[in-house]
Amino acid sequence: MSTASITLADSAIMLRRNVKHTLRNPVTVFNAVLFPIVLMLMFVKVLGGGFSVGVPYIDYVTPGLLVMAISYGLGATATEVNSDMTKGVINRLKVMDVSRGAMLSGHVIMTTLRAVVACAAIIGVAFLMGFDPGASAVQWLGVLGMVVLLGFAASWLTVAMGLAAKTVESAGMATVPLIMLPFLSSAFVPADTMGAGVKQFVEYQPFTPIIETLRGLLAGNPQTGDTVAAVAWCLGIALLGYVWAVATFKKRA
């Protein structure tokens, strides 16, 4: 059996383990899937009438909520990775000769899948609330690709944070900036409506071009500049997370 085959087989085992952990933990499911839906109901039904964005608010806010759904699922990954590290699970797996790459990739794949499921739930609820996208089939594939790419990139960064943290509690706290960044983006109102300083931060932080890319794809008119910036940010975050995670894993495991 080749090394690649062994790694894939071990990754499948680790993924199955992480799926079971997610399904047995209602808090993880709530944070990853249900809480973004609660936010959607609150922003659209309670606050949405106060925003003037030029289009129906459900059409404007849905792309931002997709990114929020991805970021809200990251805390569970960081704590699970740190728990595996600090409670000796990884050391036991090393004795069992499980591929080291599979230990990390299992968490990354699980987090990415959870992000896709959460985004599917958001879109489903959005349709029930009157969401009316103009995307073609190809543009819907672009939305899926953007969600998977962001989920993959954020997963590697979160795994690195979980490995680097000293305790489970600090691992969960480390992901707070990633959870808060969508609030400081164009997710809920256009950047042009914000005050000086905040507007510049919103325009140049990574989640804004990602949200604008999703918004353009769903509206049927994606902008090349936003798409290039979004892909570049995702690739940069993925590379940073991967290098950090592997270096920390080699040092601590």
Side-chain angles (χ1 to χ4, degrees), residues 1-56:
M1 202 173 191
S2 67
T3 302
S5 299
I6 293 173
T7 301
L8 287 174
D10 288 346
S11 296
I13 294 172
M14 296 304 297
L15 176 60
R16 187 163 63 247
R17 168 181 178 267
N18 293 329
V19 169
K20 289 180 178 178
H21 284 186
T22 296
L23 296 178
R24 290 172 182 170
N25 189 343
V27 174
T28 299
V29 176
F30 178 82
N31 285 337
V33 180
L34 297 183
F35 192 66
I37 292 175
V38 171
L39 283 178
M40 168 180 270
L41 294 172
M42 184 180 71
F43 273 97
V44 176
K45 295 298 184 182
V46 179
L47 303 175
F51 300 134
S52 177
V53 293
V55 296

Side-chain angles (χ1 to χ4, degrees), residues 35-181:
F35 192 66
I37 292 175
V38 171
L39 283 178
M40 168 180 270
L41 294 172
M42 184 180 71
F43 273 97
V44 176
K45 295 298 184 182
V46 179
L47 303 175
F51 300 134
S52 177
V53 293
V55 296
Y57 193 64
I58 185 66
D59 292 347
Y60 182 86
V61 79
T62 296
L65 288 166
L66 295 180
V67 173
M68 290 203 72
I70 295 171
S71 65
Y72 265 92
L74 299 177
T77 300
T79 56
E80 288 168 3
V81 170
N82 187 268
S83 179
D84 284 352
M85 176 66 73
T86 56
K87 293 182 179 178
V89 174
I90 289 178
N91 287 333
R92 288 201 296 273
L93 292 174
K94 285 169 60 181
V95 174
M96 296 167 64
D97 197 28
V98 175
S99 167
R100 292 190 172 200
M103 298 177 195
L104 302 183
S105 62
H107 284 291
V108 171
I109 296 170
M110 181 64 228
T111 306
T112 305
L113 288 177
R114 197 162 55 212
V116 172
V117 171
C119 288
I122 285 287
I123 290 175
V125 174
F127 273 117
L128 294 176
M129 297 174 68
F131 182 45
D132 185 23
S136 65
V138 173
Q139 288 161 345
W140 274 108
L141 288 176
V143 171
L144 176 61
M146 195 72 252
V147 167
V148 171
L149 183 58
L150 175 59
F152 179 78
S155 298
W156 272 114
L157 185 59
T158 305
V159 166
M161 290 176 173
L163 290 171
K166 299 298 182 185
T167 64
V168 171
E169 291 77 11
S170 60
M173 289 298 296
T175 61
V176 169
L178 293 176
I179 295 172
M180 295 303 297
L181 272 180

